[in-house]
């Protein structure tokens, strides 16, 4: 049964653990509750904030509107053909829970995305990715509801306009739809992605060879890497990678390599190179920095952290300092990956 609460703290619902109040708050665990919510006229004109796992959200103020937390569950195989399995998951399903479901079933394609925090509904919004794989490579379609009209719509791959950590839901359609489910197109025969980051090295340390390679092994390797580098939000407030890895012209990358020979880069097409933002931030001297309870993580400079009682404004101010420093040192702009409210 739908219940709308007043004056609710959002701190428990975001991984940054920052205090902010929502004027109204509703937990949605069924599409029936969602339909009911759209029929309540008193909330029609209010701003809406959609919260899944809260792992990609920085709150810098109270939210004077209706915060909607989606906990829509369910995972099921909806169809299959000779090469593919199509798996549908509710928007409120934990992302890692879905990955483990697929790994356990030997459905290939999302093993490189193991241990990413957040929920299924948020995944296509920013085209999440890690270790050489992005959502757009395994995405089939999603179902969503228009926030103002309650109209249901299906979005196929082309409709989502995926880019690097981008989709139509972060631009033209930002704040207009609530994603209710996502369907993924997974492979019966795996294609292993092991060249990005430290995956190959970690697999070797685990004793995995070409003969023993499996999606389970890759998932285990990714989990081991992430746990060694990234702080647990239950212990230190954070939203994972705070900045996107910038993509720069190839000629700029070559010029920077003259001054910084160890600068890593990954070609994107023929004229662009993706540079790790964490490396830039670390070289600019920010790794392990702390001011009050706001800081840059000591093991992964890409992660901004809340050591306890930092405010959203303090985290955002630190982010601006880091951006300015990287731009001054390297001439590269780095942009936030998180949604800042």
């Amino acid at each position: 049964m739908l219940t709308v609460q007043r004056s609710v703290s959002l701190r428990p619902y975001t991984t940054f653990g920052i205090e902010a109040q929502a004027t109204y708050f509703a937990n949605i665990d069924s599409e029936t509750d969602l339909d009911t919510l759209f029929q309540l006229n008193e909330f029609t004109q209010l701003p809406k904030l959609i919260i899944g796992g809260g792992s990609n959200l920085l709150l810098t103020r109270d939210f004077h509107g209706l915060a909607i937390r989606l906990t829509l569950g369910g995972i099921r195989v909806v169809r299959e053909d000779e090469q593919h399995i199509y798996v549908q998951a509710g928007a409120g399903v934990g992302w890692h829970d879905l990955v483990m479901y697929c790994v356990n079933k030997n459905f290939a394609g999302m093993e490189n995305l193991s241990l990413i925090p957040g929920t299924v509904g948020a995944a296509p919004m920013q085209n999440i990715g890690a270790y050489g794989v992005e959502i757009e490579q395994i995405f089939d379609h999603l179902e969503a509801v228009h926030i103002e009209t309650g109209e249901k719509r299906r979005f196929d791959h082309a409709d989502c306009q995926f880019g690097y950590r981008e989709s139509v839901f972060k631009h033209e359609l930002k704040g207009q739809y609530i994603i209710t489910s996502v369907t993924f197109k997974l492979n019966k025969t795996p294609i292993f992605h092991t060249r990005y980051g430290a995956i190959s090295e970690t697999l070797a340390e685990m004793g995995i060879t070409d003969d023993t390679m499996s999606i389970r092994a890759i998932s285990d390797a990714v989990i081991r890497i992430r746990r060694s580098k990234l702080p647990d939000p239950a212990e230190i407030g954070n939203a994972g990678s705070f900045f996107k890895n910038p993509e720069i012209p190839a000629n700029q990358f070559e010029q920077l390599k003259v001054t910084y020979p160890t600068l890593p880069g990954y070609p994107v097409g023929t004229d662009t190179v993706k540079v790790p933002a964490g490396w830039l931030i670390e070289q600019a001297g920010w790794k392990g920095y702390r001011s009050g309870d706001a800081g840059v993580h000591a093991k992964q400079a890409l992660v901004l952290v809340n050591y306890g009682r930092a405010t959203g404004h303090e985290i955002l101010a630190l982010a601006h300092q880091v951006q300015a420093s990287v731009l001054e040192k390297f001439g590269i702009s780095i942009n936030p990956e998180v949604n800042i409210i």
Side-chain angles (χ1 to χ4, degrees):
M1 180 178 176
L2 175 66
T3 301
V4 179
Q5 301 172 267
R6 294 191 58 141
S7 300
V8 173
S9 170
L10 297 178
R11 183 169 186 164
Y13 306 114
T14 66
T15 58
F16 249 126
I18 288 172
E19 180 55 48
Q21 295 273 322
T23 307
Y24 297 98
F25 177 88
N27 187 80
I28 302 294
D29 61 9
S30 72
E31 292 197 38
T32 300
D33 281 352
L34 196 56
D35 292 338
T36 301
L37 185 63
F38 286 122
Q39 296 169 15
L40 301 177
N41 293 332
E42 60 264 43
F43 302 113
T44 302
Q45 300 301 319
L46 288 178
K48 312 285 194 309
L49 175 63
I50 312 304
I51 301 175
S55 61
N56 197 48
L57 188 63
L58 174 63
L59 298 171
T60 63
R61 57 179 173 81
D62 290 339
F63 183 72
H64 301 294
L66 173 63
I68 302 172
R69 181 170 180 254
L70 289 181
T71 55
L72 298 167
I75 304 173
R76 64 191 182 103
V77 174
V78 291
R79 65 187 177 95
E80 63 179 286
D81 56 35
E82 290 185 2
Q83 295 180 313
H84 302 108
I85 299 280
Y86 294 81
V87 177
Q88 184 183 73
V93 171
W95 176 258
H96 185 62
D97 293 335
L98 173 62
V99 174
M100 289 296 96
Y101 171 91
C102 293
V103 169
N104 290 335
K105 297 282 188 181
N106 208 35
F107 301 159
M110 53 174 68
E111 54 276 3
N112 289 58
L113 306 178
S114 297
L115 210 63
I116 294 179
T119 56
V120 167
M125 293 184 71
Q126 68 175 62
N127 188 21
I128 65 169
Y131 300 103
V133 175
E134 294 181 332
I135 279 292
E136 64 174 312
Q137 296 166 240
I138 55 173
F139 177 88
D140 187 69
H141 73 274
L142 63 81
E143 294 172 351
V145 177
H146 195 276
I147 286 179
E148 292 186 1
T149 67
E151 178 184 0
K152 296 181 181 180
R153 177 179 169 185
R154 171 178 166 138
F155 287 82
D156 291 316
H157 197 289
D159 300 323
C160 294
Q161 299 178 26
F162 290 121
Y164 175 60
R165 301 297 176 269
E166 301 284 0
S167 75
V168 70
F169 302 104
K170 293 186 73 173
H171 297 283
E172 295 96 317
L173 299 183
K174 184 175 182 178
Q176 295 185 38
Y177 282 89
I178 296 175
I179 295 172
T180 56
S181 71
V182 186
T183 299
F184 299 92
K185 180 181 179 181
L186 302 173
N187 300 314
K188 291 184 175 180
T189 302
I191 301 171
F192 300 124
H193 299 276
T194 63
R195 295 186 177 181
Y196 196 97
I199 291 183
S200 294
E201 178 183 341
T202 304
L203 288 167
E205 292 172 355
M206 293 165 55
I208 302 298
T209 65
D210 289 344
D211 293 335
T212 58
M213 187 67 67
S214 66
I215 64 171
R216 167 74 66 183
I218 292 175
S219 175
D220 289 345
V222 170
I223 290 171
R224 179 182 291 196
I225 295 166
R226 293 185 71 89
R227 283 180 172 161
S228 71
K229 292 183 176 181
L230 301 175
D232 183 347
E235 299 176 1
I236 303 174
N238 72 92
S241 299
F242 194 92
F243 299 100
K244 295 186 287 187
N245 291 324
E247 296 179 354
I248 64 174
N251 60 348
Q252 182 184 5
F253 176 76
E254 294 303 326
Q255 291 171 4
L256 285 168
K257 286 282 283 186
V258 175
T259 307
Y260 307 100
T262 60
L263 172 65
Y266 304 91
V268 181
T270 56
D271 300 318
T272 306
V273 177
K274 183 185 296 182
V275 176
W279 189 93
L280 299 173
I281 296 167
E282 181 174 349
Q283 295 300 310
W286 289 98
K287 188 175 183 180
Y289 174 86
R290 178 170 178 173
S291 176
D293 277 353
V296 179
H297 195 247
K299 291 185 178 180
Q300 173 51 271
L302 195 55
V303 179
L304 302 189
V305 294
N306 170 19
Y307 285 105
R309 302 187 64 84
T311 66
H313 282 295
E314 290 170 337
I315 298 291
L316 185 58
L318 175 58
H320 288 161
Q321 288 179 278
V322 171
Q323 286 175 293
S325 175
V326 169
L327 180 61
E328 180 180 5
K329 185 176 182 67
F330 298 102
I332 298 176
S333 296
I334 55 173
N335 297 312
E337 186 174 314
V338 302
N339 186 24
I340 299 169
I341 302 296

